[in-house]
Amino acid sequence: MWIVRWNSRFTFWLLFFLDISIILVMNPAKSQANIPESTSSTVSNTTLVPASRQSPVFFADRNNSMEEQVTPLSQLLSPVPKTSASPVSSHQVRSLDDNAAMGQVNSVSELSDIKPTDWAFQALQSLVERYGAIAGYSNQTFQGNRAMTRYEFAAGLNAALARINELVSAGTSDLLRKEDLEILQKLQNQFAPELAQLRGKVDSLETRTAVLQAQQFSTTTTLVGQAAIVIGGLVAGNNVVTKKPAPHNFTLGNYVNLKLNTSFNGTDQLRIVLTADNIASLGRTRSGILGTNDGKTSDNASPLFPNNEVIVSGVRYRYLLGSNTAINVFAQSDGAFELGLSGSISPYFEGSAANGISRYSRRNMVYNYGDTGAGVAILHNFSNQFQLGLQYTSINGNNPTENNGLFQGRYVALGQLLYSSPNKNFRLALTYANTYSPPNTTGLSGTNFGPAIGSNLANSTVAGRATLGNLYGAGAFYRINPSLAVNGWVGYSAHRYLGSGDADVWDWGVGLSFPDLFQKGSLGGIFVGMEPKLTSLSPNVNLGAGNGVADKDTSLHIEGFYQYQVNDNIAITPGVIWITAPDSDASNPDSIVVWLRTTFRF
């Protein structure tokens, strides 16, 4: 069995040379001069897009639909050119119509549909040549036969009055005739209500604009939030350790996630994620009410923090290195999840506080050994169809003590090659990860080693021994039609308990997705799989069941959910998780979890 132990220098230099090779040899990047910069210091709450790029790099941003989750790199890292209409001058009265107004005309002859024989010719000539208060359309017409509202006439009258005020202020009042002033006075009195309403609307708009400017959160930062209220519990099942019936109690919990996205130049992004929740896990490795990770839900709170304590669960900075490469440096992040390395294969199941009910239905175990931590990730496009992702995560990278730190402690180094068909209906991912955990170390999930899903033996280590793992995964996604998609994967992990022996762990899963089921925006899902199972173990290794004893039976994970989209911001998702032979032991009765999640996005 081939096992790799990456030391600090090997890990660092391999990632470094892979990056340099990609950028300089396989697909030379364009210079930074080719990256468009924002034309304003204010970053709008729109997707950052360069107009000239069609990159197939995908990021999952924890949304519901596949179309939202699988997003080209080009649509995340460069600004959308802002379009701003030129302000309408006080003379361009007719621009309220669908036709665009032309500038102030200097002679009535510039208007092609005005003839000297027209009954209003002299009036128009006076307004144009004496007062300069008439503007035509962009096709050089006046359209005098067009019907107008009293409000439009009031706006025109207001423009004429403004022009007269300009003439008076400029000392050219000798151009004003007494008859014209008397007519204007009568019109002003007659249209006083409309003029007052027009001025009132302008004043109100100015006031509201001032309030928005004073109260805006930030000119460079957008806030994206989601909250979930969850009712759920166990309706059948025993504790696999004590063999006694587990409590069948329902609970009411919550989950809150806030993302602060900041761009400093329009092509980069700093993301800070704040999280708080109080949803208790039904089981962990040999603990909890089930005594196993089988059937673990996706909404569980971290066991290392008090309930509803606000924690910084993510700090990541992303920038472009050329038009086809994105560099992500994170001080705290679940890199594979946030960067979309797993979401491209299960776009309808993977999300945060949405979609799949269980953690396992969302992604292969090859992505789950990492936990969260500090590190770097590189995403690069070879072409419109091929993407390479590289990620190095140090689980306890902020800890300076022995057997911890950025390079000497627990780590995961992951690489993935993703193929996407031209129409993006088919995707294939090949993934490899190398992971190492020193003895007696834990991460944010409270585990020392393993996928934190599946049987207890698959998540066990030998006390006082370091553990190595080589993980291999293959997954595919195929959208059969707009209303039906299928995805699946198989994963294999080779464990080595240093100084003791080896083990093999397998998992597989198949999911069916039904977008727009029963109504637009809703989603149905069915999933069947085998959570990680220890299939073989060296005869001299004891992981808690005896020397050389591996899991003896096969446990099936069966799950169904329906996400009812109430509106753009609210979704209600009932679901059920059924586990046969929990902990890969047929002597344990099946466990059933019922879940009802209501998600709010804002």
Side-chain angles (χ1 to χ4, degrees):
M1 183 179 298
W2 179 60
I3 302 291
V4 178
R5 166 68 169 103
W6 289 10
N7 59 31
S8 61
R9 295 181 179 178
F10 186 78
T11 302
F12 176 83
W13 287 111
L14 180 60
L15 287 174
F16 177 81
F17 284 118
L18 278 173
D19 181 31
I20 296 301
S21 298
I22 291 168
I23 298 168
L24 299 181
V25 178
M26 306 188 74
N27 194 352
K30 298 179 182 178
S31 67
Q32 288 289 348
N34 292 325
I35 301 176
E37 295 182 355
S38 174
T39 57
S40 171
S41 60
T42 301
V43 178
S44 63
N45 190 18
T46 57
T47 307
L48 300 173
V49 185
S52 61
R53 299 179 197 151
Q54 299 294 330
S55 304
V57 173
F58 306 110
F59 291 101
D61 203 14
R62 305 186 182 192
N63 294 321
N64 294 10
S65 68
M66 181 190 72
E67 287 78 8
E68 292 175 332
Q69 279 196 326
V70 182
T71 307
L73 168 64
S74 61
Q75 293 185 1
L76 285 168
L77 293 179
S78 294
V80 176
K82 296 184 179 180
T83 57
S84 57
S86 299
V88 179
S89 71
S90 61
H91 308 306
Q92 292 176 340
V93 178
R94 290 291 185 93
S95 64
L96 297 174
D97 190 19
D98 292 337
N99 299 306
M102 63 182 287
Q104 169 63 43
V105 295
N106 298 316
S107 173
V108 73
S109 62
E110 296 180 27
L111 301 171
S112 61
D113 59 344
I114 300 298
K115 301 177 181 179
T117 56
D118 290 337
W119 64 271
F121 178 81
Q122 290 185 349
L124 292 173
Q125 186 178 43
S126 177
L127 287 171
V128 170
E129 298 175 3
R130 178 181 291 270
Y131 297 115
I134 291 295
Y137 291 103
S138 58
N139 59 0
Q140 294 186 327
T141 62
F142 182 69
Q143 299 184 21
N145 292 325
R146 173 185 172 275
M148 69 184 303
T149 66
R150 287 178 63 87
Y151 285 111
E152 288 177 308
F153 184 79
L157 176 59
N158 190 62
L161 292 173
R163 176 59 177 159
I164 289 174
N165 286 331
E166 291 177 7
L167 295 175
V168 172
S169 299
T172 56
S173 57
D174 57 316
L175 296 176
L176 303 176
R177 293 187 298 191
K178 181 179 180 181
E179 296 82 358
D180 293 339
L181 293 176
E182 290 175 352
I183 294 173
L184 286 174
Q185 183 64 43
K186 291 179 181 180
L187 289 172
Q188 187 174 9
N189 293 336
Q190 185 176 358
F191 284 88
E194 288 81 3
L195 291 171
Q197 290 186 31
L198 183 64
R199 292 191 181 98
K201 289 182 178 180
V202 173
D203 293 341
S204 176
L205 181 61
E206 291 178 348
T207 301
R208 292 172 61 186
T209 301
V211 171
L212 288 174
Q213 291 177 342
Q215 296 181 353
Q216 65 181 343
F217 172 71
S218 171
T219 58
T220 60
T221 302
T222 60
L223 172 64
V224 179
Q226 58 188 22
I229 298 175
V230 177
I231 301 175
L234 187 72
V235 297
N238 287 359
N239 185 296
V240 302
V241 177
T242 65
K243 305 296 182 179
K244 296 180 179 179
H248 298 167
N249 293 327
F250 277 74
T251 60
L252 177 62
N254 67 82
Y255 168 90
V256 178
N257 180 274
L258 301 177
K259 297 184 181 72
L260 301 172
N261 298 321
T262 302
S263 181
F264 301 101
N265 58 28
T267 64
D268 62 346
Q269 185 188 71
L270 171 66
R271 169 170 289 182
I272 300 174
V273 183
L274 305 177
T275 303
D277 55 4
N278 67 350
I279 303 172
S281 174
L282 298 178
R284 295 170 57 199
T285 302
R286 297 187 178 88
S287 64
I289 66 173
L290 286 174
T292 176
N293 286 298
D294 278 333
K296 189 173 186 177
T297 63
S298 57
D299 305 313
N300 297 332
S302 169
L304 301 185
F305 301 96
N307 287 339
N308 284 328
E309 178 177 293
V310 179
I311 64 172
V312 179
S313 58
V315 178
R316 187 262 295 144
Y317 181 66
R318 179 175 61 213
Y319 63 95
L320 281 178
L321 188 62
S323 60
N324 292 315
T325 306
I327 308 297
N328 298 266
V329 180
F330 45 92
Q332 180 70 28
S333 174
D334 183 357
F337 189 9
E338 181 183 342
L339 299 176
L341 295 178
S342 56
S344 55
I345 298 303
S346 54
Y348 290 117
F349 283 88
E350 181 167 313
S352 178
N355 304 6
I357 297 297
S358 72
R359 176 169 295 190
Y360 183 61
S361 69
R362 296 186 173 192
R363 50 180 172 165
N364 191 342
M365 70 170 180
V366 70
Y367 304 105
N368 274 334
Y369 280 71
D371 209 335
T372 62
V376 61
I378 302 167
L379 296 178
H380 176 78
N381 289 333
F382 294 112
S383 67
N384 287 337
Q385 275 69 59
F386 289 94
Q387 174 215 76
L388 177 67
L390 298 174
Q391 172 199 333
Y392 175 84
T393 303
S394 175
I395 311 306
N396 299 316
N398 65 322
N399 188 340
T401 61
E402 186 178 1
N403 288 332
N404 284 290
L406 192 58
F407 295 116
Q408 298 300 327
R410 185 179 173 191
Y411 73 79
V412 175
L414 184 146
Q416 175 171 285
L417 182 64
L418 174 68
Y419 167 78
S420 299
S421 64
N423 59 10
K424 301 298 185 291
N425 285 336
F426 174 75
R427 303 186 198 120
L428 174 66
L430 301 177
T431 310
Y432 167 75
N434 177 267
T435 180
Y436 168 76
S437 181
N440 307 318
T441 58
T442 60
L444 190 62
S445 66
T447 62
N448 167 252
F449 180 82
I453 48 176
S455 72
N456 287 332
L457 292 180
N459 289 275
S460 295
T461 59
V462 176
R465 301 287 188 179
T467 312
L468 281 167
N470 281 292
L471 323 174
Y472 307 86
F477 167 84
Y478 179 57
R479 181 164 51 184
I480 300 171
N481 58 54
S483 301
L484 177 63
V486 61
N487 72 292
W489 64 72
V490 61
Y492 166 69
S493 178
H495 294 183
R496 170 159 292 175
Y497 315 102
L498 295 184
S500 297
D502 303 316
D504 296 324
V505 176
W506 286 87
D507 77 312
W508 58 267
V510 177
L512 288 175
S513 306
F514 307 92
D516 298 329
L517 184 63
F518 302 134
Q519 78 160 27
K520 186 72 173 178
S522 294
L523 174 68
I526 299 174
F527 179 85
V528 178
M530 181 186 76
E531 294 195 28
K533 170 186 174 181
L534 191 79
T535 58
S536 66
L537 181 67
S538 296
N540 59 324
V541 178
N542 186 346
L543 296 179
N547 288 341
V549 177
D551 287 321
K552 57 184 178 179
D553 299 309
T554 296
S555 173
L556 290 180
H557 176 120
I558 304 168
E559 178 179 341
F561 71 89
Y562 177 68
Q563 182 171 288
Y564 174 70
Q565 200 69 34
V566 179
N567 53 44
D568 291 340
N569 303 101
I570 303 175
I572 300 175
T573 309
V576 60
I577 303 170
W578 175 21
I579 304 295
T580 68
D583 199 33
S584 297
D585 185 350
S587 67
N588 294 319
D590 296 356
S591 60
I592 299 176
V593 177
V594 175
W595 217 245
L596 178 63
R597 176 200 298 132
T598 302
T599 307
F600 305 88
R601 299 181 183 277
F602 51 92

